[in-house]
């Protein structure tokens, strides 16, 4: 995901609680034979090209649109990994820096996180390079990837090298072609962090870097965030997101998302128990009601949020007077991006509707 991004949209049905529907045209990312594709990740290049990465079985694909997601070219197969980590926020991760594209993915069989790099907008791909430097340490299959200024990218993942779950990371200074030494991002003072909630990572325009993860402290599964200021090599102390706690002796497999703000600060969106919360800097948390798997991005009209409620995909905003909208029925696992060129917002998601399974993208104006 790219650092100045913002959030997006979709279509269909009225649901309970009188939530209005939002009408838009969903565009298929891939032909009908890709109906079993999963876990889309979307990003937009500076020239407006829209990229969507996804997995199908053990294969990793990239689909490209050069007309603002009106149409997509046939997906290109980038790689195949044995027992590709896929589903429940596992799957390929995507980051774009100009024409340079990087995909990361994890093999459950090898337990390693690999990076696939294209220097020319996906026309050719370099050989895969490992990101984790201890064999099998990324076997849980949950990771995040972000693109920042000056061609930097950062990968983070749940790591098992110490015999417990910790958060590790590695930075690339050449847009994902090579990767630096692994860094311990966070080690819990208790036994482990939450074992199967995906970590998130984001830069702001200045180059400050944030990693967010679900912790496991004193019986609570809350979201925590660590920051590495631009120009520094070490992360600061972890801070808990929100005001409450979620006492839970299990893993909800729901990691939330970081929201870089236009003033350089970072917000976050996440699930606590059955509800979705937005945490803005120096403000009380905002409760958006029941749901799971939230994502969000900052836009001129306020933070845009998307999440699942039952079998529906909802959208809400912090803009004055905004009300929640149903943007798609039979949809799950949304991901968001915004065009750096014109600010157009895009959302990609899995459709579970019987009449249109597969992956779709919609545009939010």
């Amino acid at each position: 995901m790219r650092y100045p991004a913002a959030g997006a949209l979709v279509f269909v049905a009225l649901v309970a609680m009188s939530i209005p529907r939002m009408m838009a045209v969903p565009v298929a990312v891939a032909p009908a034979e890709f109906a079993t594709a999963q876990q889309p990740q979307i990003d937009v290049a500076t020239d407006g090209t829209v990229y969507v990465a996804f997995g199908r079985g053990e294969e990793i694909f990239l689909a490209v649109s050069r007309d603002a997601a009106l149409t997509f070219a046939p997906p290109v197969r980038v790689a195949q990994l044995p027992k590709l980590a896929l589903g429940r926020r596992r799957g390929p991760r995507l980051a774009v820096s100009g024409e340079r594209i990087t995909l990361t993915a994890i093999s459950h069989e090898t337990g390693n996180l690999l990076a696939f790099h294209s220097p020319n907008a996906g026309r050719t791909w370099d050989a895969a390079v490992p990101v984790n430097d201890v064999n099998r340490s990324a076997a849980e299959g949950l990771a995040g990837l972000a693109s920042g200024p000056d061609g930097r990218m950062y990968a983070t993942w749940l790591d098992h090298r110490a015999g417990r779950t910790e958060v590790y990371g590695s930075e690339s200074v050449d847009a994902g072609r090579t990767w630096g030494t692994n860094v311990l991002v966070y080690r819990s003072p208790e036994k482990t962090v939450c074992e199967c909630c995906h970590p998130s990572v984001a830069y702001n325009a200045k180059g400050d870097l944030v990693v967010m993860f679900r912790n496991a402290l004193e019986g609570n599964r809350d979201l925590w965030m660590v920051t590495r200021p631009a120009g520094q090599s070490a992360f600061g102390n972890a801070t808990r997101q929100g005001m409450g706690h979620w006492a839970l002796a299990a893993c909800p497999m729901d990691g939330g998302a970081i929201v870089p703000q236009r003033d350089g600060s970072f917000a976050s969106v996440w699930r606590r128990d059955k509800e979705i919360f937005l945490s803005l800097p120096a403000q009380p948390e905002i409760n958006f009601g029941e749901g799971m798997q939230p994502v969000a991005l900052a836009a001129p009209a306020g933070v845009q949020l998307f999440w699942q409620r039952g079998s529906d995909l909802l959208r809400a905003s912090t803009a004055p007077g905004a009300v929640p909208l149903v943007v798609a029925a039979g949809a799950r696992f949304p991901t968001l991006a915004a065009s750096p060129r014109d600010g157009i917002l895009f959302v990609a998601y899995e459709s579970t509707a019987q009449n249109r399974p597969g992956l779709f993208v919609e545009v939010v104006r």
Side-chain angles (χ1 to χ4, degrees):
M1 184 178 293
R2 134 180 338 275
Y3 56 91
L9 78 3
V10 152
F11 111 123
V12 103
L14 275 165
V15 294
M17 301 172 61
S18 300
I19 298 176
R21 63 180 179 178
M22 178 178 179
M23 300 303 294
V25 178
V27 175
V29 173
E33 58 264 33
F34 286 84
T36 59
Q38 294 178 266
Q39 301 295 295
Q41 292 286 310
I42 190 168
D43 204 354
V44 187
T46 51
D47 66 357
T49 301
V50 179
Y51 297 92
V52 179
F54 60 89
R56 185 186 64 173
E58 294 188 335
E59 297 176 301
I60 302 166
F61 291 88
L62 184 70
V64 180
S65 173
R66 303 191 185 280
D67 56 10
L70 292 175
T71 60
F72 281 85
V76 174
R77 181 182 178 276
V78 176
Q80 181 172 353
L81 292 182
K83 297 184 180 179
L84 172 67
L86 191 62
R88 300 294 292 178
R89 293 296 184 192
R90 295 181 176 94
R93 292 295 186 263
L94 167 67
V96 179
S97 178
E99 284 203 337
R100 295 175 292 180
I101 304 169
T102 294
L103 298 175
T104 59
I106 296 172
S107 162
H108 281 312
E109 182 171 295
T110 67
N112 294 323
L113 174 62
L114 296 179
F116 304 87
H117 177 75
S118 171
N120 49 23
R123 291 187 290 276
T124 62
W125 292 85
D126 299 339
V129 297
V131 179
N132 59 308
D133 56 17
V134 173
N135 192 43
R136 301 195 62 81
S137 63
E140 185 58 45
L142 291 160
L145 179 66
S147 175
D150 303 322
R152 293 180 179 272
M153 292 185 180
Y154 203 88
T156 186
W157 63 94
L158 298 188
D159 192 280
H160 295 157
R161 70 186 65 192
R164 59 181 184 173
T165 307
E166 301 170 332
V167 183
Y168 265 75
S170 177
E171 190 165 41
S172 171
V173 297
D174 53 13
R177 189 177 67 85
T178 61
W179 293 85
T181 302
N182 291 183
V183 172
L184 175 65
V185 175
Y186 179 82
R187 172 179 291 147
S188 172
E190 296 188 10
K191 183 178 179 181
T192 182
V193 298
C194 194
E195 301 90 341
C196 50
C197 286
H198 69 90
S200 302
V201 60
Y203 290 92
N204 62 16
K206 187 175 71 173
D208 300 327
L209 177 68
V210 161
V211 174
M212 188 173 73
F213 54 92
R214 193 177 292 278
N215 217 335
L217 290 177
E218 300 178 348
N220 298 310
R221 300 288 176 126
D222 304 323
L223 272 294
W224 289 66
M225 183 182 286
V226 291
T227 301
R228 191 196 72 182
Q232 298 189 20
S233 59
F235 287 90
N237 294 329
T239 57
R240 182 168 58 88
Q241 302 299 286
M243 299 178 291
H245 291 288
W246 187 4
L248 181 68
C251 180
M253 297 201 74
D254 199 336
I258 303 166
V259 190
Q261 302 290 287
R262 293 172 180 265
D263 64 0
S265 64
F266 294 90
S268 61
V269 60
W270 33 272
R271 171 188 171 195
R272 182 196 300 143
D273 198 357
K274 297 180 180 179
E275 298 176 313
I276 301 300
F277 292 86
L278 173 68
S279 182
L280 293 165
Q283 295 186 35
E285 63 187 24
I286 303 171
N287 188 337
F288 285 87
E290 187 174 339
M292 61 188 296
Q293 302 297 337
V295 292
L297 288 173
V303 175
Q304 307 291 315
L305 297 87
F306 291 77
W307 71 96
Q308 296 169 220
R309 180 178 293 175
S311 62
D312 295 317
L313 180 63
L314 269 62
R315 176 194 180 190
S317 171
T318 57
V323 297
L325 299 172
V326 175
V327 293
R332 61 188 183 184
F333 298 118
T335 61
L336 305 176
S339 172
R341 184 174 61 178
D342 50 26
I344 293 176
L345 309 181
F346 301 88
V347 62
Y349 58 88
E350 292 182 13
S351 173
T352 59
Q354 290 185 352
N355 63 331
R356 58 180 190 99
L359 307 180
F360 290 82
V361 170
E362 298 189 33
V363 181
V364 185
R365 302 284 179 175

